[in-house]
Structures are given as C-alpha cells and as structure tokens.
Amino acid sequence: MLRRFQAPLVVLICLVSISAAAEEPAADEEPTDERTPEVPSTAPPPTAQPTKPPVVESANPEVKPAAESGPGSWHVDVNGYFRAPMALGISSRPGPDNSTGPSSTQVSYGPNRTVDSNYYSFAYTRLQEQDWAEVFIHAKKKHVDAAVGWMGYWFQSVGFRNYDAGWAPGLAYVALDTDLGDSQLKPNIAFTAGAFWPSFGYFEKYDTYTLGRFRQLGAQLKLMLPITSDLTGTGWLGFGTGRDGQFNPGAPPFYGATTALDLLAYAHGKVSYAKILDIGVHLNTEWTADPNLAQQSAPDPKSYAVEQAAHLSVLGAELNLRVPRLGHLWISPSFISVRNGWALKNAGTEVMHSLSGNSLVTNYFSWTNNPDNSTGTGSMVNLGFLYENTLSGIQGNAPGSVPDVTLSIFGLLADASRVLPTGSNVMPAGSTALQTSLKQFKYGADLTLQSLTWLGFMLRGDFVNYDLDHPGYVFASITPRVIISSHFLSTERIYLQYSRYTYGDKMTLAGQWPWGGALVAGNDVLQGGPYAGMTPDKNVVKLQAEVAF
C-alpha cells in the first residue's frame, strides 16, 4: 500500500505546483496574518511564560510583505538563535591509572558522563542540551522570501576543532505566495523550493518530532483556506530528497563524496478554530530507488534488492486545545512502519529522537549492523502529551504581570514491535525467548515562579523508563534552575541549574543491551574506556546563555 501511495502523491504535488507557479501575484494584494507559520524550534522557549518559540528556518517558510516599493526592490532581514552551555559533571572516582586506588573529585565535560545528553536517543531529556547556533539572512520583497542559513553544533574557538560540526551553508530556499480571489477572506497559496526542513508534530519539552521533520532538498505547496473569520483549513504537500552517502576527506578535491538519494513525500492537513483549537492529520513516507550505495553484483543481505524494499512511513495526528483559564493541552499520537530501515542512512525523516531510518532502527529495533540478528523492520506506536497553564491565565489576566507561576506536565511513550529473523540473539538477559518488543516511557513536570520581571526560578523533575518490561533500565533527575533576563517575555536568558540524578543498575556509562547494542546511541564510543560500566555522574551543574533574535 505504501508503494501505491508514493507515486500518486508525487504526481499530485507536481501538477498542483505547476498551477501555483503560473499564478501571478497581484501588486495590490497583501498577505494575511493567517499565513504566519507555526515553526517548531530546536531550542526551548526563552521564557517561563508560553510564548512563541524562536524561529528556526526548518519548516513552513513565511512570506511577509516588504515595505512599499517597486516590484524589484528587496530588503534584507537577519534572524537566528544560539545556546552556549557550560556543563560540569561532578563525581568522586579513582583515577583511570589506578582503578583500585583512592577516589577524588573529578570535574568532567558533562555530556561525557551522563545518559541523557544525546539528542538522537530516547534518553534525551533536554536538561543537558549541547552547543547550537544558526543565522539566517533573508532577502524579501512582496510575496517573496529568499533565505540562506548557516548552522552548527560545536563552538570551534573554545577548544579543539570538530570538522563535522559546521554546516556552512546549511539551508537555502525561495518561497513565493499569492492571494486568490477578491473576497475579504482570501485563500492563499505558497510554493517553497530549495533546501529547507518542513516540520510537524514538534514536542518542545523533549525537542523532538512525533510526526516528522524532513532534512531535504525539495518542494512544498501550502494552501490556506479561510472558511469563516474564525475557521481556517490549511494543507501541505511536499516531495523531496535526502542525500545519503559518505565523504572521504583523503580523496582528491571534488571527488570525495559517494552519494545516493533517498526519496520522501508528505501530506499534512490542519483545521483551526480561532485561537482555541487546531487538529492536524499527517502522512509521510521515505524510500530509495538509487543503487549507488549498494553496487554488489550478487544478492546478499545488504544488496540493492534489499535496499529497494526499504521504507520509513509515519501516520499520525496532533491536537492543540487552548481554553481560557483552563490552559493549553497538546496531544500527538503516531504510528511508524519501517522495513530495512538501515538502508535509509543519513538524512530524510527525523522522528522520535532519530535522525534517519538507520538511527530509528538502531534506537528501537535492535539494529547492530548485523542482518542475522535484526533487519531493522517492524512498527511503532507513539504518544506525546503536554499540559501547561499559568496563574495569570487562571485569573484571566494577560501575560506580563509578576509574580506569576507556570506549570507544565509532559510525557512521551514509544512502543516498538520488532520483526526478528530466525536465529536472532536479541533476547533479554537470562532468557532464550526473542525480545520482539521494546516499550519506553518518559515523563516529567516543571514549575516556574517568575518573581520579578528579570528573575525566575524553576523546579523540574524527570523520569525515564528505558524498558518497561525489564527492571533496571531507569533513571530520574530533579533540577532547580535560576533564570535571569532583561524581561521574562523577552527572547534571551541566562540560567544556572543543578541536576541530581539517580540510576537503575542497568543504566551505566557505555551501557549495552544484552545483545550487544548500545543503550544510548554513540555512548559506546564517547564513554568507552576505564569507566565503562560504572554509574554515570549524579551531579551536573550547567550555566547556559541563549537568545533568539
């Protein structure tokens, strides 16, 4: 069924896009406020109050009118975001050169000694998020937005250089739009093409996506249809490609890349009523038909015929309900189907803390690069939820007064069902039965007191159960935080926090599943060495500066 879905969707996108491109914008038409996109963020909201998150140029690019000028006149805008954390892991351990000797206080790079700092893992809590910066330059005129962005995740000047970290440039796209008709409630159609990241089902508390973010070169058509002054329907159709492959730094210039394409398509529809309710439904799928990374001349478990059968597909929904005095509720269920996910390696669909199909099956489907144990095939049921409210909201007051209190309650469930080959060794410790499912659940709450316009205090608790069916794969944390800013409704802040962790006996540094896969993707590399198998740091202090501009 998934293959039958792909071709009609791609054809439909192409036909509608050609029609949209032929529509000439009228000189006297202005875009309506309804076209402001709901853009998810890679960063937390910079205030304790529920405010619009920093704009990350990754989703539904917005076309705003330029100042009154001729059709050829441009103006330039710059926006961006950064966070700069200093994280200190504090523990008492013997030195690596004397493992049986006396213990002394060690202060280490925080992410090296925790289990929740990897963005591409279900263990991620966002407490120990790492460096990130992005800057976007926009050239705009009426109904046109052309943008190029630079991004990176490692500040090169404060230590050694990480050659993988800088994305320069990272994204570049052109967005065109036009209003349709002459009525007061004008439909709007927008067409975007280039390198951009459409995003749906964003979960701010854990900085992940229940439906998907697409790291791609491609095109998107967006239609906004106002039905009444309060009721609006919006639809998105998109098709794109992710570049799969690898780069050999030792190769001659211009010839270092081995590249293949992953193909992806998505559709999303949303109905919004005033500022109270919006409901969206979503479908996306990713596959490959490029043999460049599988050029074996004979069939084997990783040959082209196997890669050609690979897919990663997501069906889901999300609901936002905002009721005066009662607060904001967000719920997003999704269903993921994956086959031979390892074949979709480096880009394309980011979903449920996983960068790609390969990342997804590594996290949830016991993929260890050995098709005899797992082929990266199965399905997942997921559910994300968030409830938040403020004291000022309960009292019916507009945001901005102090003192104020904000409460958030949130959680994320992932239930994976694996299809394992005969003879697989994916079994719980001490068992001879295959572990064909993995259920994970994390939840938390935070309470923020904004005592002064420039000073706030937060207390957050987190609990993560990494395997609901087997004991010991758990950890928890309690985190007090002090926040200062020019004003709590502003978009900058500096905060100091302390996190105290407790761990189950299976959550260790460089921890592994019984079948040999890493508990947390990458920690077998980052945390290998003399402390592997020991308890992670229980005390982490972090000072972080961040701003969206």
Side-chain angles (χ1 to χ4, degrees):
M1 183 179 85
L2 293 170
R3 293 288 179 183
R4 291 198 297 271
F5 161 75
Q6 291 159 1
L9 177 57
V10 173
V11 171
L12 176 61
I13 292 167
C14 294
L15 290 176
V16 179
S17 300
I18 291 171
S19 173
E23 188 76 34
E24 186 69 19
D28 59 348
E29 292 175 344
E30 295 290 335
T32 67
D33 290 340
E34 295 291 343
R35 292 200 303 279
T36 302
E38 297 174 358
V39 182
S41 166
T42 58
T47 69
Q49 297 288 345
T51 60
K52 186 174 180 179
V55 172
V56 176
E57 306 296 333
S58 60
N60 308 306
E62 175 183 4
V63 184
K64 291 183 178 179
E68 292 297 329
S69 58
S73 299
W74 296 85
H75 74 286
V76 176
D77 290 339
V78 178
N79 60 36
Y81 166 80
F82 72 76
R83 61 173 176 253
M86 178 190 71
L88 308 176
I90 303 171
S91 60
S92 181
R93 305 177 188 269
D97 54 349
N98 186 9
S99 60
T100 60
S103 296
S104 60
T105 299
Q106 297 181 358
V107 181
S108 62
Y109 176 58
N112 284 352
R113 295 278 185 85
T114 60
V115 296
D116 64 336
S117 61
N118 186 350
Y119 176 81
Y120 300 116
S121 165
F122 189 84
Y124 188 64
T125 60
R126 202 168 188 176
L127 292 174
Q128 310 304 336
E129 57 189 358
Q130 300 184 46
D131 306 7
W132 182 262
E134 58 189 57
V135 176
F136 281 81
I137 299 175
H138 296 258
K140 295 184 179 182
K141 60 181 180 179
K142 191 173 184 180
H143 297 295
V144 181
D145 180 8
V148 61
W150 287 260
M151 301 180 294
Y153 63 86
W154 185 267
F155 296 135
Q156 308 280 6
S157 66
V158 297
F160 70 90
R161 294 184 64 189
N162 183 338
Y163 294 96
D164 181 55
W167 306 347
L171 300 176
Y173 63 84
V174 174
L176 307 173
D177 88 316
T178 185
D179 295 323
L180 304 175
D182 298 321
S183 63
Q184 183 177 1
L185 298 175
K186 298 177 182 179
N188 179 269
I189 191 167
F191 184 60
T192 304
F196 62 107
W197 290 355
S199 310
F200 304 94
Y202 179 63
F203 195 170
E204 175 265 323
K205 287 296 181 180
Y206 293 125
D207 200 6
T208 192
Y209 302 85
T210 54
L211 304 178
R213 174 164 74 172
F214 311 112
R215 302 182 177 223
Q216 50 125 50
L217 273 161
Q220 173 183 275
L221 185 69
K222 177 184 176 183
L223 175 65
M224 187 277 297
L225 182 63
I227 301 169
T228 69
S229 58
D230 289 327
L231 185 63
T232 302
T234 308
W236 293 260
L237 289 174
F239 174 74
T241 63
R243 292 175 181 167
D244 208 344
Q246 59 188 3
F247 182 78
N248 179 9
F254 308 110
Y255 306 107
T258 302
T259 308
L261 289 181
D262 294 337
L263 308 175
L264 60 91
Y266 60 91
H268 188 89
K270 183 176 73 172
V271 176
S272 303
Y273 178 73
K275 296 182 179 180
I276 298 174
L277 175 69
D278 62 70
I279 302 174
V281 293
H282 181 86
L283 177 64
N284 70 68
T285 187
E286 179 182 353
W287 72 103
T288 185
D290 191 334
N292 200 43
L293 298 182
Q295 300 186 22
Q296 302 95 315
S297 58
D300 68 33
K302 288 189 176 183
S303 63
Y304 176 60
V306 182
E307 290 202 354
Q308 195 176 24
H311 76 258
L312 168 59
S313 303
V314 182
L315 174 65
E318 67 175 329
L319 175 146
N320 279 283
L321 179 63
R322 300 174 179 87
V323 179
R325 299 182 186 271
L326 298 182
H328 169 221
L329 175 66
W330 174 84
I331 299 176
S332 181
S334 64
F335 174 81
I336 300 175
S337 172
V338 61
R339 181 178 181 185
N340 303 337
W342 54 267
L344 307 171
K345 299 181 180 66
N346 292 320
T349 305
E350 176 186 341
V351 65
M352 288 298 292
H353 290 296
S354 303
L355 174 62
S356 62
N358 183 74
S359 178
L360 183 82
V361 298
T362 299
N363 283 337
Y364 305 104
F365 295 91
S366 59
W367 172 251
T368 58
N369 205 32
N370 182 355
D372 292 335
N373 287 328
S374 172
T375 61
T377 299
S379 61
M380 286 179 68
V381 175
N382 313 296
L383 178 64
F385 64 87
L386 166 68
Y387 170 76
E388 54 190 358
N389 205 348
T390 64
L391 179 60
S392 60
I394 294 172
Q395 294 173 336
N397 299 326
S401 61
V402 292
D404 202 1
V405 177
T406 302
L407 170 68
S408 298
I409 302 171
F410 46 89
L412 183 62
L413 170 71
D415 185 354
S417 298
R418 302 160 172 160
V419 177
L420 299 174
T422 302
S424 171
N425 72 350
V426 178
M427 304 172 186
S431 174
T432 58
L434 294 179
Q435 186 172 336
T436 57
S437 68
L438 176 63
K439 299 180 180 69
Q440 299 180 314
F441 182 48
K442 59 182 176 181
Y443 58 90
D446 61 54
L447 187 68
T448 300
L449 168 64
Q450 193 66 45
S451 58
L452 302 170
T453 57
W454 59 271
L455 179 64
F457 302 91
M458 186 202 78
L459 182 65
R460 171 168 168 160
D462 287 89
F463 185 84
V464 180
N465 192 326
Y466 223 54
D467 188 342
L468 289 171
D469 294 327
H470 300 92
Y473 296 98
V474 297
F475 68 93
S477 62
I478 187 76
T479 302
R481 177 185 293 176
V482 180
I483 309 162
I484 60 173
S485 62
S486 62
H487 190 284
F488 70 99
L489 295 182
S490 183
T491 58
E492 88 294 326
R493 65 177 179 176
I494 299 173
Y495 66 79
L496 177 67
Q497 72 177 34
Y498 165 71
S499 296
R500 173 68 178 183
Y501 291 87
T502 58
Y503 301 95
D505 58 358
K506 302 294 180 61
M507 300 303 296
T508 63
L509 296 174
Q512 292 189 328
W513 294 107
W515 49 88
L519 273 181
V520 177
N523 277 9
D524 53 332
V525 178
L526 297 175
Q527 298 177 350
Y531 297 113
M534 294 186 179
T535 302
D537 282 359
K538 296 181 179 181
N539 304 290
V540 182
V541 176
K542 187 174 77 165
L543 175 69
Q544 180 161 312
E546 63 184 37
V547 64
F549 57 90

